Amino acid sequence: MNAKQTAAHKAVEFVQDGMVVGLGTGSTAYWAIQRLGQRVKEGLRIRTIATSLRSETLARELDIPVISFADVTAIDLTIDGADEVDPANRLVKGGGGSLLREKIVAAASRTFIVVVDESKVVAQLGAFPLPVEVVPFGWEATAGACAALGCTPTRRTADGQPFVSDNGNFILDCAFGTLAEPESLAARLNAIPGVVENGLFLGMVDKLVIGHADGTCTLR
Ligand code: 5RP
């Protein structure tokens, strides 16, 4: 097992029969969904809410029941990855372009478990450009307002075309360098008209599972 798989499998141990489970997005969450699929085949009864169309498709392929927010009032436990995590378990997320749904699902979860390999653990956030989801209308003006906060924003592309999120929005990858004050930055970004959400997940993590190359994992 690689480090991502190790972390994902550890997190899935916290899933119990009858739970509503939030499914994250990305290559680490992928392993958690695969493991959940195995456990469902073995008899585990869960219902899930996916943070992306990609993860929803994978879950359905594995015969994991997928529901919507219309069917539940809360999510028991969500397992998702991250692009960076600092010593206070603050995260940068959105490398996969799903930060808005990921934040909605994490905020609605009683327990939010984050799974990473050790390369994601950093002393300070910011080497990974901060993903910010913006509406397409006037995105140039929105990017200008983000730049005024001290970053170089780049509109994300995929296959030479603008990347479009599951919500029909663009992603600006905002290179700030080291994020000295993530809380105030998150508030200032979200105050810009046109910004839908930013990729800083602050004070949300209940459990962090770090997978290591030697097959062990650490809980924090
Ligand atoms: C997607 C995310 C992912 O959780 C993040 O990009 C980490 O992905 P991976 O596990 O592939 O490294 O935030 O929007």
Side-chain angles (χ1 to χ4, degrees), residues 4 24-29 54 80-83 92-99 102 115 117 120 128 156 201:
K4 292 183 177 192
T25 296
S27 57
T28 319
R54 200 171 8 139
D80 201 354
D83 299 299
V92 166
K93 283 183 54 54
S98 304
L99 65 101
E102 289 171 341
V115 285
D117 65 73
K120 307 292 185 61
F128 192 94
R156 190 177 297 181
F201 285 49

